[in-house]
Amino acid sequence: MTDNKNILIKKILEQSIYPVLPDQLIAMISAISLEHLRDLTEIRLRINQPLLLVLGNQDITVNPMGEVVVNYNEAYLCNQDDIQRTLQLMSKNSLYAFEHQLKMGFLTIDGGHRIGLTGQAIIDAGEVKTLKSINGLNIRLAREVKGCADQIIPYIITKEGQVLNTLIISPPRCGKTTILRDLIRQISMGSKIYKGLPVGVVDERSEIAACKSGISTVDLGIRTDVLDNCPKAMGMLMLIRSMSPAVVATDELGRAEDIHAVREALNAGVSVVTTVHGKDLSELLQRPYVGELLQNKYFHRYILLSDDPRVGTIKKIIDSSNNKILWEGAKKC
């Protein structure tokens, strides 16, 4: 497992992350052993603050030679040039072409890695038009981990081969998109026990399928259709009308229109597998829109994730009809 994780992080860094970083940052990160970096989930750059490497539920700093240091006074401090150069590399010197993503506070690069941004918001008619004077970047590494949803599959597919409506609940950085990606692949491919089904994916943030020029760069199975960079609510209805999926999958529900689209999909007889940010069911029940879905039992299964002991830990699988815990433990990706 360790060797596989070392190979995976090496591939991610060399193919997707290093191409968007300045040379001095590449030199520092590449000086760290792969064994140390194998759980890397985020790289955080803030002007006049230490370069932070987030490893699961902890973070480390490094000095200019790439040595891990505990004393922040010895750590490398990111500067404005680091931020500007990274932005230029990510956008291929055409940041204006990413105006829609900028106003959402993120960019997505090849490989499905999302880059969060902070800076000065420009407001127009009460809405964020764009961000300028970028002062911080959060590079969130996406992973393709085949088999990480093995524990979940038996609980969401019936003996008749129907996929139960499933909501993956997870705080940030706990692996929900990675789990969702593998669920999509397994549902699409099928197995000796159940047949593969057509899956429609609405990938609003270009993270699930990691599309490049509209083509998925990860394995989502042979029966999967992807709408890339498309709003969830619009995309779910488009797929149902045009591609006849048995299952629709998307990421991060939250807006009123998302909830309406989920109801429309379910009323059309299409199963829904999706995710939401949250700590637990009691928290979600208090939220507008998402709480309505839970109260009315729209989902058959709840999958709760955690980062303890590691990112991607499946904490609980719950039957919504009676709140019975079907599985509880610490199964890790």
Side-chain angles (χ1 to χ4, degrees):
M1 177 63 74
T2 297
D3 289 343
N4 290 339
K5 293 188 81 169
N6 289 352
I7 292 169
L8 177 61
I9 191 61
K10 183 175 187 292
K11 178 180 177 182
I12 290 172
L13 290 171
E14 292 181 351
Q15 294 186 1
S16 301
I17 305 303
Y18 289 160
V20 301
L21 291 178
D23 290 342
Q24 67 269 22
L25 297 187
I26 296 173
M28 281 182 269
I29 297 172
S30 61
I32 304 170
S33 70
L34 289 176
E35 187 65 28
H36 211 145
L37 289 178
R38 66 193 184 95
D39 292 321
L40 181 66
T41 57
E42 295 180 353
I43 301 172
R44 288 182 172 263
L45 287 68
R46 302 178 177 95
I47 294 177
N48 298 328
Q49 297 296 331
L51 171 68
L52 279 181
L53 304 178
V54 180
L55 311 172
N57 52 15
Q58 65 174 330
D59 54 43
I60 60 172
T61 58
V62 296
N63 64 18
M65 282 72 71
E67 299 167 333
V68 177
V69 293
V70 177
N71 187 342
Y72 293 157
N73 293 325
E74 299 175 5
Y76 175 81
L77 299 183
C78 297
N79 54 52
Q80 190 167 20
D81 186 64
D82 292 330
I83 300 288
Q84 290 302 315
R85 182 60 183 147
T86 301
L87 284 170
Q88 290 170 358
L89 291 167
M90 286 192 304
S91 65
K92 298 179 173 60
N93 294 308
S94 300
L95 197 58
Y96 68 90
F98 294 85
E99 184 175 342
H100 173 70
Q101 292 190 52
L102 279 175
K103 71 179 182 180
M104 300 292 289
F106 68 88
L107 301 175
T108 304
I109 62 172
D110 290 352
H113 311 287
R114 190 197 299 185
I115 317 298
L117 307 100
T118 55
Q120 182 181 1
I122 305 301
I123 308 297
D124 183 22
E127 295 186 357
V128 176
K129 183 178 180 180
T130 189
L131 289 176
K132 72 173 188 178
S133 303
I134 306 299
N135 57 39
L137 300 174
N138 177 19
I139 303 173
R140 298 178 57 184
L141 277 64
R143 281 176 166 82
E144 181 181 14
V145 185
K146 291 185 177 181
C148 67
D150 287 354
Q151 184 67 42
I152 298 171
I153 283 289
Y155 294 96
I156 70 166
I157 297 183
T158 68
K159 293 179 180 179
E160 295 74 29
Q162 178 187 358
V163 175
L164 299 174
N165 302 319
T166 301
L167 181 64
I168 301 170
I169 302 166
S170 164
R173 302 189 327 205
C174 286
K176 64 183 178 303
T177 303
T178 304
I179 293 280
L180 177 63
R181 186 181 292 125
D182 195 52
L183 282 175
I184 293 167
R185 180 187 66 82
Q186 295 201 43
I187 292 168
S188 175
M189 292 302 297
S191 72
K192 294 179 180 179
I193 301 172
Y194 61 92
K195 70 174 184 177
L197 297 171
V199 182
V201 175
V202 187
D203 198 1
E204 184 169 5
R205 296 173 176 83
S206 301
E207 285 188 292
I208 303 171
C211 285
K212 184 174 183 179
S213 301
I215 301 172
S216 176
T217 61
V218 297
D219 182 5
L220 294 182
I222 64 173
R223 299 175 180 87
T224 301
D225 299 299
V226 179
L227 269 178
D228 182 49
N229 197 30
C230 180
K232 286 188 283 292
M234 184 185 304
M236 281 190 270
L237 297 179
M238 287 173 62
L239 284 170
I240 290 169
R241 291 167 184 158
S242 62
M243 303 307 292
S244 301
V247 180
V248 168
T250 189
D251 211 359
E252 297 184 13
L253 293 183
R255 295 170 298 193
E257 54 267 34
D258 299 343
I259 308 309
H260 174 72
V262 167
R263 288 200 303 262
E264 289 290 312
L266 298 179
N267 289 336
V270 177
S271 299
V272 174
V273 179
T274 187
T275 73
V276 67
H277 282 302
K279 181 173 143 185
D280 52 36
L281 291 173
S282 59
E283 177 192 328
L284 293 181
L285 282 166
Q286 304 306 313
R287 287 195 203 166
Y289 313 130
V290 174
E292 176 193 339
L293 292 180
L294 271 62
Q295 290 167 11
N296 290 294
K297 309 289 186 184
Y298 279 98
F299 292 99
H300 301 108
R301 296 287 185 267
Y302 302 131
I303 313 298
L304 276 65
L305 304 183
S306 170
D307 63 356
D308 182 21
R310 291 187 182 277
V311 170
T313 296
I314 301 167
K315 188 175 178 183
K316 294 178 183 178
I317 301 175
I318 300 173
D319 181 340
S320 70
S321 66
N322 53 17
N323 289 328
K324 179 181 178 182
I325 297 175
L326 302 176
W327 190 89
E328 184 173 14
K331 180 69 178 179
K332 297 175 287 186
C333 280

